[in-house]
Amino acid sequence: MAEKLRVLIVEDNRADAALLVRELRRSWELTHEQVETAEAMRAALDGQTWDLIISDFAMPKFSAIRALELLRETQLDIPFIIVSGTIGEEAAVEAMRAGARDFMPKGKFSRLQPAIQRELKEAAARREHRAVEQRLRQSQKLETIGQLTGGIAHDFNNLLGVVVGNIDLLQEMVKDRPSVAELAEEALNSALRGAELTKRLLAFARQQPLTARTVNLNEVLPNMIGMLSRTLGERIKIDSRLAPVLWPTQVDPSQLEDALLNLAINARDAMPKGGDLLIETANVHLDERQAAVQADILPGDYVTMSVTDTGTGIPPELIERVIEPFFTTKDAGQGTGLGLSMIYGFARQSGGHLSIYSEVGIGTTIRLYFPRQQATVEPAGPVSTAAASSPTGGESILVVDDNAELRRVAVRVLTKLGYQVSEAADGHEALALIKAGERRFDLLFSDLGLPHGLDGADLAAAARLLAPGLKVLFTTGYGVDRRNGSAKVDPAILLRKPYRSQELAERIRAVLDAPKAN
Ligand SMILES: Nc1ncnc2c1ncn2[C@@H]1O[C@H](COP(=O)(O)OP(=O)(O)OP(=O)(O)O)[C@@H](O)[C@H]1O
Ligand SMILES: [Mg+2]
């Protein structure tokens, strides 16, 4: 079958135009229009998309040079070939300067065909190049916003840690005064909502602590999909198409579940009258070229999870923006505009990528890419069951955090639980306390990111030399912190900020009760 070609012919001579059309029809499925004035050409350019312009050089009411000027004004990139009976060397040079891609005498069809082939190919390459640059600019923009929001979110996390921790302590104290307890409860709920928001911002900034495991998406998805049907209601029909054999991948399963839930809720919101939701998995190999087109992803093997809906779709001019934090088309209170931001950050932080394909009135596909993992699938770790009341203890604990308020909250909570608590503002102070030997510490509870050249991990290593058998629990608000390399810290001894008093109590007890030093 012949390829489609849309040609705008700038020509006053009907017979010449007819000849040209007949020639082109031999190789292409042709759509064409003939114009011979500037107005007609402008209208034709406005009216539809053209692959090519073929123009006579001089016409009674128009010329190739003016046609080229007009084309430049529209900023359209359409190859322009001059086919003319009379074109001298000077005129040819003038035409090429004005932007013509080629010129040839009338009737020389043997030259015209290959010239068109070449121009179409080059125009396609230019288009692809522009698209890649555009995506790159977009991802750089997101990177910049990410750095900004990451910094803000991290500070807010610390502030909220202080607020939540103190309200937890307050609630303990006012248990028998319901009217005061109620105020504390409301303040706590808002602080926790704030913490949820900063968590999403950190996710977008690719700074959330991730606990990646080697998993097969085909094994974890059915469970998650089962839960979705209850959330989405009856009007949405959920289908899944899982690849028969799927490569394993490294991903944080709880974040994946969160991502899927958010995608499904977006889909539901886009299908107010109901519709179909399709969840698919696939193995995908991206070669150099495909990776370059996506921007921001390295060539290689990926496992994809795609969520497709039959909803309203996203208009092309908004596609770029939906990932930006706080971009939402939903009414106030209905959406914060952080869902896709968070999912994008999660995919990128996992070494993958997010792509969006959407057509207005037809639906949307959001696809997450995760890098293929060569290792075998690990079984899920033991699920910890939350205790109803905070476990207590009498051991001696050294709390290290450069943030004085956060440190104070931790000290108060642990003291209330019965522990003997000392505190230090940085690693040097902590080591001095251990060296002084006034107290023998059972556990070091330290922030990972500490100032003055000694981070939490360094401190723990040095402290263990002084006090072999010392147990350690770290805390952090960051995922992968350039300074402290917390990515390498075992999640079993890492408590994410901001934390509730109950969590702190449980994690401290668990580390203390572990058979040997971690
Ligand atoms: N499946 C979809 N179909 C149509 N539009 C979508 C879809 N997913 C996202 N959008 C558009 O992208 C916007 C941003 O989505 P995002 O999930 O980031 O935020 P939100 O859903 O508005 O709020 P939040 O997820 O924080 O509650 C949405 O407001 C909507 O306009
Ligand atoms: Mg959303």
Side-chain angles (χ1 to χ4, degrees):
M1 213 185 77
E3 270 178 67
K4 289 197 166 89
L5 183 69
R6 295 160 298 186
V7 182
L8 181 60
I9 301 172
V10 186
E11 172 69 85
D12 61 310
N13 186 321
R14 295 198 175 264
D16 282 354
L19 215 62
L20 179 65
V21 166
R22 208 170 64 205
E23 177 60 24
L24 294 174
R25 285 228 161 98
R26 288 157 53 131
S27 315
W28 283 283
E29 189 189 325
L30 193 72
T31 314
H32 74 283
E33 190 176 329
Q34 184 191 349
V35 296
E36 53 183 304
T37 61
E39 297 73 58
M41 177 169 164
R42 204 171 277 129
L45 290 176
D46 270 351
Q48 81 159 83
T49 311
W50 301 99
D51 302 311
L52 182 71
I53 300 174
I54 297 181
S55 173
D56 196 1
F57 187 68
M59 293 152 277
K61 287 179 253 168
F62 204 23
S63 75
I65 301 297
R66 279 177 48 213
L68 281 162
E69 266 168 29
L70 199 157
L71 180 62
R72 237 192 348 266
E73 280 165 24
T74 62
Q75 300 197 335
L76 294 169
D77 178 9
I78 307 173
F80 192 105
I81 296 178
I82 296 176
V83 175
S84 166
T86 52
I87 185 159
E89 208 170 298
E90 256 174 57
V93 170
E94 190 192 358
M96 298 301 272
R97 278 219 185 102
R101 306 281 312 174
D102 205 348
F103 65 90
M104 58 204 60
K106 276 187 178 167
K108 267 275 194 180
F109 290 127
S110 60
R111 267 195 64 197
L112 185 59
Q113 297 279 8
I116 292 177
Q117 300 280 12
R118 183 196 66 225
E119 287 308 322
L120 293 179
K121 233 172 105 186
E122 287 180 8
R126 285 197 299 275
R127 264 197 305 280
E128 190 172 308
H129 185 73
R130 274 197 301 272
V132 169
E133 283 200 323
Q134 167 71 15
R135 286 203 193 94
L136 217 63
R137 264 199 303 280
Q138 172 70 1
S139 83
Q140 277 160 357
K141 180 168 145 198
L142 291 174
E143 179 89 36
T144 310
I145 311 178
Q147 276 164 9
L148 204 79
T149 44
I152 299 172
H154 192 252
D155 280 351
F156 268 88
N157 243 352
N158 281 341
L159 297 174
L160 288 166
V162 177
V163 174
V164 169
N166 279 305
I167 298 176
D168 272 341
L169 287 168
L170 254 179
Q171 278 190 317
E172 257 320 286
M173 295 157 78
V174 298
K175 261 202 280 211
D176 49 350
R177 294 178 58 194
S179 59
V180 183
E182 196 185 316
L183 300 183
E185 182 69 27
E186 286 194 16
L188 181 67
N189 285 341
S190 283
L192 290 177
R193 268 216 303 282
E196 192 52 42
L197 245 137
T198 50
K199 206 175 124 203
R200 290 176 148 217
L201 285 174
L202 275 180
F204 168 67
R206 295 175 231 163
Q207 290 180 0
Q208 73 177 326
L210 288 182
T211 313
R213 279 203 294 122
T214 303
V215 290
N216 187 316
L217 293 195
N218 279 358
E219 284 164 22
V220 295
L221 280 179
N223 236 334
M224 298 181 183
I225 295 171
M227 285 190 288
L228 281 187
S229 53
R230 284 189 288 282
T231 314
L232 297 186
E234 289 167 2
R235 283 201 295 199
I236 290 170
K237 199 170 136 286
I238 307 180
D239 251 324
S240 61
R241 223 179 276 155
L242 306 182
V245 178
L246 194 68
W247 296 327
T249 183
Q250 270 251 322
V251 69
D252 183 330
S254 72
Q255 294 306 314
L256 178 78
E257 184 171 346
D258 213 24
L260 180 63
L261 180 66
N262 270 279
L263 290 175
I265 289 174
N266 279 352
R268 180 200 65 195
D269 292 348
M271 303 188 285
K273 294 201 187 79
D276 297 335
L277 183 80
L278 176 64
I279 297 163
E280 292 166 284
T281 58
N283 297 324
V284 173
H285 176 78
L286 293 183
D287 62 26
E288 294 273 346
R289 203 192 62 83
Q290 290 161 321
V293 170
Q294 302 260 4
D296 270 341
I297 187 164
L298 296 172
D301 287 342
Y302 292 89
V303 175
T304 63
M305 177 182 85
S306 313
V307 178
T308 300
D309 63 56
T310 54
T312 54
I314 305 171
E317 67 275 15
L318 294 189
I319 289 230
E320 298 254 291
R321 304 205 48 205
V322 293
I323 290 173
E324 291 172 12
F326 301 113
F327 178 86
T328 180
T329 55
K330 296 172 189 172
D331 292 339
Q334 301 292 96
T336 53
L338 286 174
L340 286 175
S341 314
M342 160 186 99
I343 298 167
Y344 171 79
F346 161 60
R348 295 293 312 277
Q349 198 183 340
S350 307
H353 176 69
L354 177 152
S355 75
I356 304 175
Y357 182 78
S358 189
E359 274 184 55
V360 172
I362 295 186
T364 303
T365 297
I366 311 255
R367 177 164 302 147
L368 302 185
Y369 291 74
F370 298 105
R372 175 185 185 175
Q373 175 72 23
Q374 305 294 348
T376 47
V377 176
E378 297 161 19
V383 184
S384 64
T385 42
S389 68
S390 302
T392 56
E395 288 93 336
S396 128
I397 298 175
L398 176 54
V399 176
V400 191
D401 199 316
D402 55 313
N403 181 313
E405 288 86 8
L406 270 178
R407 193 172 68 234
R408 200 152 57 227
V409 175
V411 169
R412 284 199 180 123
V413 170
L414 293 172
T415 307
K416 268 196 89 211
L417 292 169
Y419 295 103
Q420 317 251 342
V421 189
S422 306
E423 55 183 301
D426 66 16
H428 303 285
E429 218 176 274
L431 285 177
L433 275 179
I434 297 171
K435 266 191 207 136
E438 274 173 34
R439 196 182 257 180
R440 202 192 60 80
F441 297 108
D442 299 298
L443 184 142
L444 171 71
F445 176 53
S446 173
D447 189 16
L448 266 175
L450 292 175
H452 311 132
L454 200 65
D455 68 30
D458 299 335
L459 166 62
R464 283 229 177 95
L465 290 178
L466 297 169
L470 178 71
K471 288 176 169 166
V472 175
L473 178 65
F474 292 116
T475 180
T476 186
Y478 279 115
V480 189
D481 189 335
R482 293 147 300 280
R483 288 166 302 144
N484 61 38
S486 62
K488 285 175 252 115
V489 172
D490 178 1
I493 55 164
L494 187 60
L495 177 61
R496 295 168 185 188
K497 283 183 192 175
Y499 49 80
R500 301 291 307 274
S501 310
Q502 172 83 16
E503 277 175 275
L504 177 62
E506 283 165 15
R507 298 296 301 278
I508 290 273
R509 199 59 258 162
V511 171
L512 282 170
D513 291 343
K516 57 180 182 347
N518 40 37

